[in-house]
C-alpha cells in the first residue's frame, strides 16, 4: 500500500511537468541562451515585454542560472511559478528584505507568480526559536509585514505556510518525501547540510537529516518551475534536478541563485541573524545604521571582501539606479554614479575613498529603510516587532 502511494506521488510530479524537449544531462552552467523564435504566447504577452526583455529581467536576478536555455524555452510558452522557502528564524536583515523585494518585483513584472514557502515546520526541525512553533510563526508574520512595508509588489505573490499546506495535502507530500529519501544515499543528503546553515562535519540531529529530503520535495509539491533562492541553497536544488533524472522527468526545475551578501565585519562571508553587528536589519534605527556602517570593513582600493562596496552594488544601485556622494570641491566635489563599473574603477584607483563612501551609503540605506521604520511605529505591527525582539535567536 505504501509503495502504491509513492508511485501515485511520483506520477503527480511527472504530470505537472511542462511539455518540451528533453534537457541536456550536463549540469554545469551553459553559455547565454541563444535567441529563439518568439511564440504566439510571447508576442502577445500581457506585460508588453518581449521574450528577450522578460528573459533579461529574470536572468538579472541570479548570480547563476541552471540552465539559461531552459529558462528561455520556458518563458517562450508560459509564465513560470517561482519559489523561495525561508525559515522564520529572527529579525530580517537587508539582504532578505531589500534584495528579495527587488528580485521578486523583477520576476512578477516579467509575468512570474512568486510563491513564498514559509517554512515554519522546517525552522522547528532546525531548532530555530528553540523549537517553539508559536514563536516561529510570529516571526513569519513579522517578515511578511516587512516585505509589505519595503515595497514588494504583492499582486502576483502568494505566502504559503508549510505546516498548513503539508497537513492539508499530506497524502501527496509525504510519499514524495519518502521517495526522494529512498533514492538517495545518506552522504548525498548530508552534503546538503549547508542549506540549514550547518556544516557537513556538524553532529546533525535526525530531523536535520530529514530536512533536505523535505526541501527537495517542496519544489515539486509547489509545482515550482524556478527555484529562486540564494547560492547557499544550490545543493538541494541540484538534488531536485537529479531526482528528475531518477523519475525520468524531462523538464527540471530551473535554478536561479541570487548573490549572498557578505557580513559587515572583516572576514564575514555572510550575514548572521545571531550577530547583530554583521548586518543592517530592516527596522534598525538611523543611529544603528550610522554606527554599523562606520564600523564596517572598507579597505581603500580593495573591492574583494569589501562589504560597503557590496551594499552599493547589490542594494543601493538596484534600488535607486544611482549612488550620490557629497564632498567638498577640494576633495573632488559631488558626484552621482549610475553604473557599478564606474564606482569600482574610481574606488580602486583612489578617486573614491572610504571616507566618501560611508556617509553616502549610510544616507541611502536610511532612506530605503524609513518606510519600514514608519510601518512598525504603532498598532499591531509595533506589538509584533516588540514581541519578536524579545525572542532569543537559536542556531
Amino acid at each position: 500500500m505504501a509503495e502504491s502511494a509513492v508511485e501515485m506521488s511520483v506520477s503527480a510530479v511527472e504530470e505537472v511537468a511542462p511539455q518540451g524537449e528533453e534537457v541536456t544531462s550536463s549540469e554545469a552552467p551553459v553559455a547565454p541562451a541563444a535567441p529563439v523564435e518568439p511564440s504566439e504566447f510571447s508576442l502577445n504577452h500581457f506585460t508588453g515585454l518581449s521574450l528577450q526583455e522578460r528573459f533579461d529581467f529574470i536572468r538579472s536576478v541570479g548570480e547563476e542560472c541552471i540552465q539559461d536555455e531552459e529558462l528561455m524555452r520556458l518563458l517562450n510558452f508560459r509564465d513560470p511559478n517561482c519559489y523561495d522557502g525561508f525559515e522564520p528564524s529572527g529579525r530580517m536583515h537587508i539582504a532578505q528584505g531589500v534584495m528579495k523585494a527587488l528580485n521578486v518585483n523583477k520576476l512578477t513584472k516579467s509575468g512570474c507568480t512568486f510563491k513564498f514557502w514559509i517554512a515554519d515546520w522546517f525552522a522547528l526541525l532546525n531548532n530555530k526559536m528553540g523549537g517553539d512553533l508559536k514563536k516561529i510563526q510570529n516571526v513569519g508574520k513579522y517578515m511578511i509585514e516587512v516585505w509589505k512595508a519595503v515595497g514588494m509588489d504583492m499582486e502576483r505573490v502568494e505566502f504559503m505556510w508549510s505546516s498548513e499546506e503539508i497537513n492539508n495535502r499530506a497524502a501527496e507530500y509525504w510519499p514524495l518525501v519518502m521517495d526522494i529519501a529512498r533514492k538517495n544515499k545518506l552522504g548525498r543528503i548530508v552534503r546538503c547540510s549547508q542549506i540549514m546553515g550547518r556544516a557537513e562535519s556538524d553532529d546533525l540531529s535526525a530531523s536535520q537529516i530529514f530536512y533536505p529530503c523535505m526541501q527537495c520535495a517542496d519544489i515539486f509539491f509547489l509545482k515550482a518551475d524556478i527555484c529562486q533562492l540564494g547560492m547557499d541553497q544550490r545543493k538541494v536544488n541540484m538534488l531536485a534536478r537529479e531526482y528528475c533524472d531518477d523519475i525520468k522527468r524531462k523538464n527540471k526545475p530551473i535554478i536561479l541563485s541570487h548573490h549572498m551578501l557578505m557580513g559587515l565585519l572583516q572576514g564575514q562571508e555572510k550575514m548572521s541573524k545571531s550577530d547583530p553587528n554583521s548586518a543592517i536589519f530592516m527596522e534598525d534605527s538611523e543611529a544603528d545604521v550610522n554606527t554599523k556602517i562606520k564600523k564596517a570593513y572598507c579597505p581603500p582600493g580593495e573591492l574583494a571582501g569589501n562589504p560597503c562596496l557590496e551594499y552599493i552594488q547589490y542594494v543601493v544601485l538596484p534600488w535607486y539606479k544611482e549612488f550620490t556622494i557629497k564632498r567638498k570641491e577640494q576633495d573632488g566635489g559631488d558626484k552621482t554614479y549610475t553604473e557599478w563599473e564606474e564606482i569600482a574603477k574610481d574606488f580602486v584607483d583612489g578617486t573614491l575613498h572610504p571616507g566618501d563612501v560611508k556617509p553616502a551609503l549610510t544616507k541611502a540605506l536610511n532612506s530605503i529603510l524609513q518606510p519600514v521604520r514608519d510601518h512598525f511605529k504603532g498598532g499591531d505591527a509595533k506589538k509584533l516587532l516588540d514581541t519578536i525582539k524579545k525572542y532569543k535567536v537559536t542556531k
Side-chain angles (χ1 to χ4, degrees):
M1 190 169 182
E3 184 175 343
S4 176
V6 169
E7 288 172 354
M8 288 174 62
S9 179
V10 172
S11 175
V13 169
E14 292 171 337
E15 286 170 6
V16 301
Q19 296 303 307
E21 64 182 87
E22 188 166 358
V23 297
T24 174
S25 60
S26 171
E27 292 301 87
V30 296
V36 300
E37 187 69 28
S39 67
E40 192 69 21
F41 171 81
S42 291
L43 290 171
N44 298 288
H45 198 264
F46 77 93
T47 62
L49 299 171
S50 69
L51 173 61
Q52 188 63 52
E53 286 170 333
R54 290 167 59 226
F55 175 86
D56 291 342
F57 260 123
I58 293 171
R59 185 59 183 86
S60 69
V61 166
E63 187 167 81
E64 176 186 72
C65 178
I66 303 176
Q67 305 278 8
D68 283 330
E69 290 182 354
E70 296 173 27
L71 176 60
M72 181 68 86
R73 194 161 59 238
L74 172 65
L75 293 175
N76 202 24
F77 291 99
R78 65 181 177 85
D79 293 319
N81 285 320
C82 304
Y83 125 92
D84 184 5
F86 65 93
E87 287 184 358
S89 56
R91 293 170 63 203
M92 185 184 286
H93 52 58
I94 201 165
Q96 193 171 20
V98 175
M99 287 177 64
K100 191 80 241 180
L102 286 163
N103 289 345
V104 169
N105 288 352
K106 284 183 180 180
L107 292 165
T108 56
K109 180 180 180 180
S110 305
C112 300
T113 295
F114 203 98
K115 297 182 179 182
F116 276 106
W117 187 238
I118 310 174
D120 50 353
W121 269 7
F122 292 76
L124 189 153
L125 287 172
N126 204 17
N127 197 40
K128 297 301 172 70
M129 295 292 124
D132 186 322
L133 189 60
K134 180 63 176 175
K135 290 181 179 179
I136 290 167
Q137 290 174 340
N138 280 338
V139 175
K141 293 172 185 175
Y142 146 81
M143 296 175 91
I144 295 172
E145 289 298 310
V146 172
W147 279 318
K148 289 178 179 177
V150 80
M152 183 181 288
D153 184 351
M154 298 294 175
E155 186 176 351
R156 298 176 67 84
V157 172
E158 300 175 27
F159 291 99
M160 307 169 75
W161 294 83
S162 68
S163 55
E164 293 178 6
E165 298 296 328
I166 293 171
N167 273 334
N168 290 340
R169 296 159 57 195
E172 179 184 348
Y173 187 80
W174 292 115
L176 181 56
V177 174
M178 289 188 289
D179 196 53
I180 291 166
R182 188 172 63 87
K183 285 181 166 62
N184 286 280
K185 301 294 185 185
L186 181 61
R188 179 64 182 91
I189 300 302
V190 170
R191 287 202 300 276
C192 291
S193 56
Q194 181 188 15
I195 68 173
M196 303 172 285
R198 311 289 172 179
E200 292 180 37
S201 58
D202 287 356
D203 185 17
L204 301 175
S205 66
S207 65
Q208 290 165 337
I209 296 295
F210 208 45
Y211 187 122
C213 299
M214 291 174 64
Q215 184 168 329
C216 182
D218 294 342
I219 296 165
F220 304 102
F221 184 67
L222 297 171
K223 298 178 174 56
D225 302 303
I226 299 175
C227 302
Q228 204 295 280
L229 297 91
M231 288 293 293
D232 60 337
Q233 304 296 303
R234 186 182 190 276
K235 289 182 179 179
V236 75
N237 292 332
M238 291 301 297
L239 182 68
R241 289 179 65 91
E242 293 164 13
Y243 180 66
C244 289
D245 291 332
D246 290 334
I247 63 173
K248 299 186 175 13
R249 171 175 165 164
K250 291 181 179 180
N251 288 268
K252 303 177 182 182
I254 294 160
I255 304 173
L256 191 64
S257 304
H258 61 251
H259 178 78
M260 300 294 294
L261 205 62
M262 67 179 67
L264 287 172
L265 304 180
Q266 185 174 5
Q268 291 182 326
E269 291 185 2
K270 58 183 288 189
M271 295 175 289
S272 170
K273 292 180 182 179
S274 60
D275 180 2
N277 293 314
S278 72
I280 303 297
F281 290 91
M282 290 299 292
E283 74 294 327
D284 271 350
S285 68
E286 283 194 36
D288 291 333
V289 174
N290 296 345
T291 299
K292 289 180 181 182
I293 296 301
K294 187 176 289 187
K295 293 180 178 179
Y297 184 60
C298 190
E302 294 183 24
L303 296 178
N306 190 325
C308 291
L309 272 291
E310 276 223 336
Y311 269 55
I312 296 168
Q313 182 179 6
Y314 291 102
V315 178
V316 177
L317 265 183
W319 190 267
Y320 285 117
K321 311 302 181 191
E322 64 180 31
F323 178 65
T324 300
I325 59 165
K326 300 283 187 181
R327 57 191 174 188
K328 297 176 181 178
E329 284 298 327
Q330 59 263 36
D331 295 327
D334 299 348
K335 185 169 183 178
T336 296
Y337 296 91
T338 58
E339 299 292 336
W340 163 247
E341 290 75 15
E342 189 180 4
I343 295 173
K345 177 183 176 299
D346 280 5
F347 192 79
V348 169
D349 68 22
T351 306
L352 187 60
H353 188 269
D356 306 323
V357 166
K358 287 191 172 187
L361 176 58
T362 299
K363 182 179 179 180
L365 294 177
N366 274 321
S367 178
I368 293 170
L369 298 181
Q370 192 56 49
V372 181
R373 296 182 189 124
D374 293 341
H375 182 74
F376 284 101
K377 277 182 179 177
D380 292 340
K382 183 179 187 303
K383 292 176 185 176
L384 184 60
L385 178 59
D386 289 344
T387 297
I388 70 143
K389 280 185 171 181
K390 296 173 186 174
Y391 296 162
K392 181 180 179 181
V393 176
T394 56
K395 292 184 178 182

